[in-house]
Amino acid sequence: MDPLIQANGQPHYGIFPTAPSVINYRDFDFRSPMGRRLGPLAKWRRFHQFQYFGLISDQLIGGCALANLSLAGIGFVYLFHPASGRMIERQFKLPLGFGTRFSQQPNDGVCELRSGRNLLRLENHAASQEKRLLVELDDGTRIDACFTEATPAFQSMCINTPTAVNGWVYAQKVAGVRCTGQVKSALGDFDLAAIEAFAHHDWSAGYMRPETCWNWACLSGQAGAQRVGLNLSCGVNETSFTENCFWLDGELIKVDTVRFSYDREQPLQPWRIDSYDGQVALQFEARGLHQERMNLGVLASNFKQIFGQFRGVLRPHGRAAISIDNLWGFVEEQYVKW
């Protein structure tokens, strides 16, 4: 596909069969809400980008994220061992993003954060359609995980939506793919292929609402003979189009809007997630939590990513229902001011 921003300074909108070649945000005709043309400084300040790589299996759960918030570069990584309930987690915040770099090509290039002897690195390779996570921490923790969208063929969710009065958000989502690689940590050493791990991936960027919040849910696993992945959200990426979908053996099944029902004061209590079109009816039971709070005045975040197990049913139109029986995955609640 062509670059996201067209020659007239306006983005392509919609759900795309393939990813844009580049998120060329500097070419965007960025205006104030009253129509005044904004310059390079405003484009830099308001553009935000993040990437996430998740690992899912019965024996090990993991997540790593990098975010470029213009005024700060942020990263986190965690590993959770379901059998013991033990967890490793680290967080990094770097002023003005010093020590980070971010490619604006969704399917190619490197995003990484370096802090002392710690490295968080996400690589996307266009030729092989591979995505790789490399984490090296000063306590000896090492994650080297990889998946491919080439074999068997996988349909990514690639979407760009208008946001607020003058913005847009591009998002690219993957879930329900087999993962290979190695994890070495205080929780033990794991061969990801041997423990039948799955992966999911999120690449997002754009001019998001200056103050926003959202819910998100994702699962990956084996349901009978089928590989299943799920990506649902509420509160972002849903103006004109939504990113809601699930995958059966790599085939993307579009889903309508969804409702997240849960107790915000007790997020570890059960969640209920249902789609308006009836294709999704799930309950989520929490098993653990990664959370962060940050309040720097101009930047603020209250973030909860909860990992646990889903039960329920997926009902693709015109097909047999898919029973979801204790598949591992994530739900999320996030508030952001940026």
Side-chain angles (χ1 to χ4, degrees):
M1 183 179 163
D2 294 336
L4 184 70
I5 306 302
Q6 305 172 72
N8 64 1
Q10 297 305 308
H12 292 282
Y13 289 116
I15 297 174
F16 313 131
T18 59
S21 59
V22 64
I23 308 303
N24 53 327
Y25 72 94
R26 293 180 182 86
D27 296 328
F28 176 44
D29 183 10
F30 190 32
R31 305 285 181 123
S32 75
M34 302 305 292
R36 178 172 58 88
R37 193 184 299 274
L38 300 175
L41 181 61
K43 290 184 183 182
W44 167 79
R45 171 65 185 91
R46 286 289 311 281
F47 180 79
H48 304 309
Q49 177 180 345
F50 56 86
Q51 191 173 172
Y52 178 80
F53 192 117
L55 301 172
I56 298 179
S57 77
D58 291 338
Q59 298 185 43
L60 187 70
I61 306 293
C64 179
L66 296 176
N68 168 20
L69 307 184
S70 66
L71 297 180
I74 294 175
F76 72 76
V77 60
Y78 68 84
L79 292 168
F80 174 71
H81 187 230
S84 66
R86 297 169 60 206
M87 187 170 177
I88 296 170
E89 54 186 330
R90 296 286 292 274
Q91 303 173 17
F92 303 93
K93 298 179 175 65
L94 303 179
L96 297 176
F98 293 126
T100 68
R101 60 170 169 151
F102 288 85
S103 168
Q104 271 77 60
Q105 295 176 272
N107 281 341
D108 207 19
V110 172
C111 297
E112 71 174 17
L113 178 153
R114 292 181 180 271
S115 177
R117 294 188 295 115
N118 302 290
L119 168 68
L120 309 181
R121 180 182 175 96
L122 288 155
E123 303 174 5
N124 301 331
H125 300 281
S128 61
Q129 296 185 54
E130 288 185 340
K131 293 181 170 60
R132 182 188 181 205
L133 167 66
L134 179 63
V135 174
E136 295 176 339
L137 301 182
D138 55 16
D139 64 1
T141 298
R142 191 174 193 275
I143 304 170
D144 190 348
C146 180
F147 70 86
T148 179
E149 298 172 60
T151 307
F154 187 92
Q155 296 177 274
S156 299
M157 166 57 75
C158 304
I159 182 173
N160 192 50
T161 59
T163 302
V165 67
N166 62 344
W168 46 267
V169 178
Y170 175 76
Q172 186 167 322
K173 305 294 183 81
V174 173
V177 289
R178 292 285 186 181
C179 187
T180 61
Q182 305 289 326
V183 174
K184 298 182 182 296
S185 73
L187 302 179
D189 297 344
F190 300 87
D191 181 298
L192 296 174
I195 65 174
E196 300 183 329
F198 281 79
H200 62 273
H201 187 264
D202 176 353
W203 198 104
S204 296
Y207 290 88
M208 304 167 188
R209 294 179 183 88
E211 187 172 19
T212 189
C213 62
W214 65 77
N215 291 124
W216 172 74
C218 177
L219 68 79
S220 292
Q222 195 77 22
Q226 292 182 299
R227 289 177 292 111
V228 178
L230 175 83
N231 177 80
L232 304 173
S233 73
C234 183
V236 69
N237 298 340
E238 55 192 21
T239 305
S240 305
F241 316 92
T242 82
E243 67 179 57
N244 299 327
C245 63
F246 57 85
W247 291 268
L248 301 177
D249 290 330
E251 179 190 358
L252 188 151
I253 311 294
K254 191 67 184 68
V255 174
D256 204 337
T257 52
V258 293
R259 164 73 173 163
F260 289 75
S261 302
Y262 65 104
D263 185 341
R264 297 190 66 182
E265 300 303 315
Q266 300 183 77
L268 296 181
Q269 293 299 306
W271 291 48
R272 183 79 211 173
I273 305 167
D274 297 278
S275 66
Y276 178 78
D277 60 14
Q279 290 193 100
V280 175
L282 295 173
Q283 181 166 309
F284 175 83
E285 297 283 345
R287 298 290 182 264
L289 167 69
H290 171 77
Q291 62 181 336
E292 299 183 23
R293 288 189 179 184
M294 175 183 70
N295 192 349
L296 304 177
V298 293
L299 294 177
S301 174
N302 187 2
F303 171 64
K304 302 179 184 72
Q305 188 172 91
I306 303 159
F307 33 90
Q309 292 169 289
F310 287 89
R311 298 195 313 274
V313 64
L314 303 178
R315 301 187 184 95
H317 294 316
R319 306 191 193 185
I322 310 298
S323 178
I324 303 300
D325 184 15
N326 288 326
L327 288 186
W328 284 90
F330 303 81
V331 296
E332 183 175 287
E333 178 189 84
Q334 175 136 21
Y335 161 79
V336 183
K337 180 173 71 171
W338 46 22

